[in-house]
Every structure is written in structure tokens, then in C-alpha cells.
Amino acid sequence: MLLRVRVTLPDRPGTLGQVARTLGVSGADIVQVVVLERLGGRAVDDFTVVWTGAARVERLLAGLAAIPGVRVDGVWRAIGAPTTTGQDAELLAQVAANPADGLATLVDAVPGLLAADWAVAAVVPVDWASRSGGVGGAAIGHASWRAPVPPQLPEVTPLRGRSMTTPDGTHHAIAPFGRAGLVLVVAREHSETLSAAAFHSTEVDRLTQLVRASAVILGDRLDLVGAPPVVAGP
């Protein structure tokens, strides 16, 4: 299976090599490394690795923890292939080629792009700002195939892209479409054996850009998401 391993490490020569060697000794076959952040002498890297089901993740975590200055931010199962250049553009091309199913195409594809478990397009009630207890009763416009039924959504608002974590440990990335109260919510769930990392700001930015571009492509079609069906008269 594919695992995503997020590591914060000192941004100095040799440390990345130590992490890579440790992953290899632990039984992980590295297929991709993505640098999410380099700031203040520290770096945040995502490693996508092939991991045999028989190997124990505890061995991997112990090896990484033994490297001075290294912190493991999360290890979780990656859905789909590693991210490659051009995937975002290809997704937007698919949305444009078939706008009638454009929202569904976006929602179904995003979990694979962001190594998440599921995604939903939710329609926030128009009176969300006046609700003192948070935003409840959001309608689901479309849900990806791995989404729970019903999906447990955080208190989303249609204002800006951001990340958040709910009390059960589920991490969410949220991006508004900018019309009709429509919001895309992506989730990484906590499990007993693996602990996913929260969505990094670069991942939220990527999601926000995809959603904004899709909103431009789909236009008025988004106003119909979550609207009750029109029933023909007798």
C-alpha cells in the first residue's frame, strides 16, 4: 500500500539523506518527496512510500524519531497515485469538457490529489451568519465514493479557504466556491493504527485555487446545486 509520511526536519545538508536512509532500512520504498515548506531553518516534507502490509509502522516511527531534530507530523494511507505535475490542469480540463458533471468530477478527484479520505460539496444555509450554534443543516450537493453517510461536517462557512480539526481527530480542508453558499470540504480521518497530518497551508491554497477555477468554469450551474428538483405540473 501507499503511505504518506510527513516529517519536519532541520533544513541543513545531510538531514534529508538520513530520513531517506531510515525509511529504506525500515522497509519503505520511496516513490516521491514533496517539499511543503522551508522556513526559519526548518523544512516540512511529504514522503510517499510503498509499504508492505506485514511491516510494522512503529518501527518506521521509532527510526525517524531517533534522528536529531526530526519530528513525524503524520503517517497515513494515501489514496491514489503520487502527485505529478499537470494533474490539476488535467482535472480542470475534465471539468471544462463535461460541465454537467463538473462538480462531481472535482469532488471525486480531490481526495486523490490531496491524499485525503473523502470530499463533499456542501451548501451552507443562507442564514448561516445569524446562527449562534454554528452552521448546521448543510445540504450535500455531491459526495465522493468513500464519504460516510451522512458525512460528519465541521462548522463550515462560505468565507475563505482554511484547515481545521474536529474533536474526533478528523482533519478538514475547506474552500468556498464564492457563490450559492457552496463549499468543498475534504477530510483525512484518524484511525487506530495511523494518524494523518493536518492539511498544510500549501494544500489549502492548492484546493482553493482548484475550487476557484472550477467556479469560473461551471458558472451558473453551481447555483442549482442543492436546490430542490422542479416537479412538473399535472
Side-chain angles (χ1 to χ4, degrees):
M1 64 178 176
L2 283 179
L3 286 183
R4 186 67 60 88
V5 183
R6 180 164 299 172
V7 178
T8 297
L9 65 159
D11 188 13
R12 60 172 180 259
T15 305
L16 181 59
Q18 285 182 282
V19 172
R21 284 193 297 273
T22 300
L23 289 170
V25 170
S26 301
D29 182 13
I30 300 173
V31 294
Q32 186 181 58
V33 182
V34 176
V35 179
L36 297 176
E37 177 183 312
R38 298 182 69 179
L39 182 66
R42 305 284 289 175
V44 180
D45 293 350
D46 267 3
F47 294 82
T48 302
V49 303
V50 177
W51 187 255
T52 59
R56 295 180 62 85
V57 176
E58 290 82 357
R59 179 186 179 189
L60 172 64
L61 297 177
L64 293 174
I67 304 174
V70 170
R71 184 185 73 231
V72 179
D73 296 326
V75 179
W76 68 101
R77 187 165 183 171
I79 305 300
T83 301
T84 58
T85 302
Q87 281 184 318
D88 292 7
E90 175 61 26
L91 172 57
L92 293 174
Q94 293 175 13
V95 171
N98 186 10
D101 295 325
L103 181 63
T105 298
L106 177 68
V107 173
D108 289 339
V110 160
L113 295 181
L114 296 180
D117 290 302
W118 51 268
V120 298
V123 183
V124 177
V126 294
D127 62 343
W128 64 268
S130 63
R131 299 192 178 197
S132 59
V135 178
I140 303 301
H142 183 79
S144 67
W145 70 278
R146 290 175 57 90
V149 180
Q152 299 298 313
L153 300 181
E155 295 180 0
V156 296
T157 57
L159 292 178
R160 58 182 176 83
R162 66 195 188 280
S163 64
M164 61 190 306
T165 301
T166 50
D168 66 354
T170 301
H171 301 298
H172 299 274
I174 302 164
F177 284 83
R179 61 189 304 157
L182 191 62
V183 180
L184 186 59
V185 182
V186 188
R188 288 180 185 144
E189 295 182 335
H190 175 79
S191 71
E192 295 182 359
T193 56
L194 300 174
S195 180
F199 288 92
H200 191 268
S201 58
T202 58
E203 295 177 302
V204 176
D205 289 344
R206 183 185 182 190
L207 178 66
T208 300
Q209 291 169 8
L210 279 171
V211 168
R212 286 176 178 171
S214 297
V216 172
I217 294 170
L218 298 177
D220 294 344
R221 291 178 181 271
L222 296 178
D223 296 336
L224 303 177
V225 177
V230 177
V231 180

